[in-house]
Amino acid sequence: MSRRALLGLGGGLVVGAAAAGAAGAVAVDAARTPDPAPSPADRTYPFTGAHQAGIVTPAQDRLYLAAFDVTTTDRDALVDLLRRWTVMAARMTQGLPAGPFAPASGPYDAPPDDTGEAADLPAAGLTITFGFGRSLFVGAPGATAPDADRFGLGGRLPAGLVELPHFAGDDLDPARSDGDLVVQACADDPQVAVHAVRNLSRAAFGTARIRWTQLGYGRTSSTSTAQRTPRNLFGFKDGTANLKAEETADVETHVWVPADAATEGGTDAAWLTGGTYLVARRIRMHVETWDRSSLREQEALVGRTKGEGAPLSGGTEFTEPDLDATGGDGKPLVALDSHVRLAHPTQNDGVRMLRRGYNFTDGNDALGRLDAGLLFLAFVVDPRTHFVPMQTRLSAQDGLMEYLVHTGSGLFAVPPGVPDGALPTGSDGTPVLTDDAPFIGQALFA
Ligand code: HEM
């Protein structure tokens, strides 16, 4: 029985008990109360579709992101893993256990199919998004044959899956960077997101192992106009001018890889058409120093007010910044070194990106300072045009950089989705694993 069905049964029992205790009151309430709106925790997003979920999906509150190294050179084993991951993800995103057996059932002398910690929890809007790192195609930087092309994928490397350059101020930890595969699990309940990655990692045993992970909370972007703008750990609204799902023409231009990018650079990367790229940057924020800076300085560095998030050129949160406006002293109201000016599309050849980052707090360092910051995540059509130039400018000129250090980095090609209706289902109508089940990124291996 599914996690959701089990939950429904549990809920029924609770209502039953309440009814037995106060039958009259319940009857009156039932007559008065309109149908309850579906609880956000019960929200599910389809796993299948033209594009993967977890990109334009309204950003959930929690993230667990894991990058993996593939530990085998056996291409069939890699394909087998992706096939198993696809079915597991299709199940877990619908609130079902990872495998066909519920966590406390199945063969008694074998480990349970599902680890169980999400057994009583609803889907909580879980999305699972998969991506491939450059090293999957050409090996780690400096790799030579046969490691360089372990899976015969060198000729399928998409032109945008570059080695990111070193940016001024970077202090990247290799143990928190890169990876052959990435899994982004987002949900409104951290236990659901962690459960998903844990079960996928368990299925990868012998084929791939986790290289680095990041737990995130308090989404730092809104990706739908229906969402309120959240705040990052500097206390500022983040996501005001983000690319939103409703801006369909701009999403088409700035997020999804077009068909004509397929042969750029002389490789065959048609498999990525309709996909995108995920840029991940673990950015530590020196919050202690920030907290000692004046409100005037904080607002000047961002270019927006801390309260409402309005541009310093005037207006309210969603007023477009007027970068030409000057104050009585003749200086620009949105300072030349402010983040919002430097990241604004007019200063970046019209570039927009779909930011989908999360706050993180990973304990403290030896000096008692929080190891806290922002896991910057952005989905872009091409990192060469949509990330590298902007990050180059920000790292050199952005006043905020005094309070930031990039400590981890990853770039992944995110294939399109598994088409609707393509996954085989069992007698109970839920996705099941078969030898020829379609899988995420299948066109890459065709
Ligand atoms: C910890 C690091 C960062 C912090 C605290 C931060 C904070 C902010 C804030 C407060 C805003 C204004 C509200 C909004 O429109 O969302 C903003 C906007 C923006 N940021 Fe960042 N950001 C960070 C890193 C980055 C990085 C690494 C990039 C890209 C390379 C970036 C790109 C943008 C863009 C494109 C905008 C929208 C600009 C506009 O269209 O007006 N940010 N950021």
Side-chain angles (χ1 to χ4, degrees):
M1 188 182 284
S2 77
R3 266 170 40 202
R4 289 163 61 74
L6 283 168
L7 191 88
L9 184 60
L13 291 174
V14 174
V15 172
V26 169
V28 171
D29 279 348
R32 274 199 216 130
T33 316
D35 281 350
S39 143
D42 282 333
R43 202 174 6 228
T44 56
Y45 295 109
F47 174 73
T48 55
H51 307 295
Q52 289 196 63
I55 302 169
V56 291
T57 310
Q60 302 91 326
D61 281 339
R62 308 298 183 120
L63 161 93
Y64 195 40
L65 183 129
F68 291 75
D69 283 332
V70 180
T71 52
T72 177
T73 53
D74 180 347
R75 181 174 159 130
D76 291 341
L78 173 60
V79 165
D80 180 59
L81 174 64
L82 293 171
R83 186 169 272 132
R84 283 181 291 129
W85 272 6
T86 300
V87 175
M88 292 172 74
R91 294 181 60 85
M92 291 190 287
T93 51
Q94 304 312 302
L96 297 161
F101 290 109
S105 67
Y108 207 40
D109 290 316
D113 254 4
D114 181 294
T115 53
E117 69 273 31
D120 311 314
L121 302 174
L126 175 69
T127 55
I128 300 175
T129 316
F130 297 99
F132 304 132
R134 181 180 166 88
S135 52
L136 191 73
F137 300 81
V138 293
T144 50
D147 292 343
D149 195 3
R150 293 165 289 166
F151 306 107
L153 297 175
R156 316 298 296 277
L157 178 76
L161 198 54
V162 291
E163 218 173 290
L164 289 177
H166 173 88
F167 299 104
D170 275 4
D171 186 15
L172 302 183
D173 178 355
R176 279 181 164 146
S177 301
D178 304 324
D180 294 328
L181 307 171
V182 74
V183 177
Q184 174 198 264
C186 297
D188 290 319
D189 182 333
Q191 182 133 330
V192 170
V194 171
H195 167 264
V197 169
R198 175 180 173 194
N199 279 270
L200 296 174
S201 150
R202 182 170 173 253
F205 184 76
T207 307
R209 65 162 170 257
I210 289 183
R211 178 181 174 87
W212 59 275
T213 64
Q214 186 66 60
L215 200 53
Y217 62 92
R219 64 187 167 83
T220 57
S221 267
S222 33
T223 52
S224 162
T225 49
Q227 294 185 295
R228 81 185 153 75
T229 315
R231 289 181 188 268
N232 59 37
L233 293 184
F234 282 160
F236 276 73
K237 286 191 183 175
D238 204 336
T240 300
N242 199 19
L243 184 48
K244 307 272 166 38
E246 292 80 1
E247 299 176 84
T248 47
D250 269 5
V251 168
E252 206 57 52
T253 309
H254 296 286
V255 178
W256 308 126
V257 175
D260 60 13
T263 51
E264 202 202 322
T267 54
D268 171 11
W271 62 272
L272 190 58
T273 302
T276 180
Y277 292 89
L278 168 61
V279 183
R281 303 284 291 182
R282 184 183 186 275
I283 308 177
R284 183 167 176 193
M285 295 159 65
H286 296 304
V287 289
E288 291 82 2
T289 329
W290 179 260
D291 295 343
R292 286 195 292 269
S293 65
S294 68
L295 180 58
R296 180 191 304 278
E297 163 142 343
Q298 292 184 6
E299 292 195 341
L301 290 174
V302 172
R304 289 181 177 274
T305 61
K306 192 165 187 176
E308 187 174 355
L312 293 186
S313 50
T316 55
E317 182 186 350
F318 294 102
T319 307
E320 188 53 28
D322 178 354
L323 301 182
D324 298 325
T326 50
D329 58 2
K331 291 189 179 152
L333 289 172
V334 180
L336 296 179
D337 66 348
S338 66
H339 184 71
V340 157
R341 173 185 288 273
L342 293 165
H344 195 268
T346 56
Q347 313 296 302
N348 293 280
D349 293 327
V351 157
R352 301 189 70 194
M353 48 177 75
L354 195 147
R355 289 172 285 139
R356 214 175 182 286
Y358 286 85
N359 298 320
F360 69 81
T361 313
D362 291 341
N364 55 279
D365 64 18
L367 298 175
R369 298 175 305 192
L370 286 178
D371 181 5
L374 185 150
L375 182 70
F376 173 90
L377 298 176
F379 290 94
V380 295
V381 62
D382 187 337
R384 293 170 300 171
T385 51
H386 278 60
F387 178 73
V388 174
M390 189 185 295
Q391 182 53 36
T392 304
R393 187 168 302 117
L394 289 178
S395 62
Q397 299 172 36
D398 186 355
L400 272 187
M401 281 304 291
E402 194 184 329
Y403 299 89
L404 306 176
V405 56
H406 290 230
T407 57
S409 176
L411 175 62
F412 303 94
V414 175
V418 172
D420 283 331
L423 289 176
T425 50
S427 54
D428 63 355
T430 66
V432 288
L433 184 63
T434 61
D435 285 347
D436 56 358
F439 59 93
I440 202 79
Q442 185 162 13
L444 170 59
F445 297 89

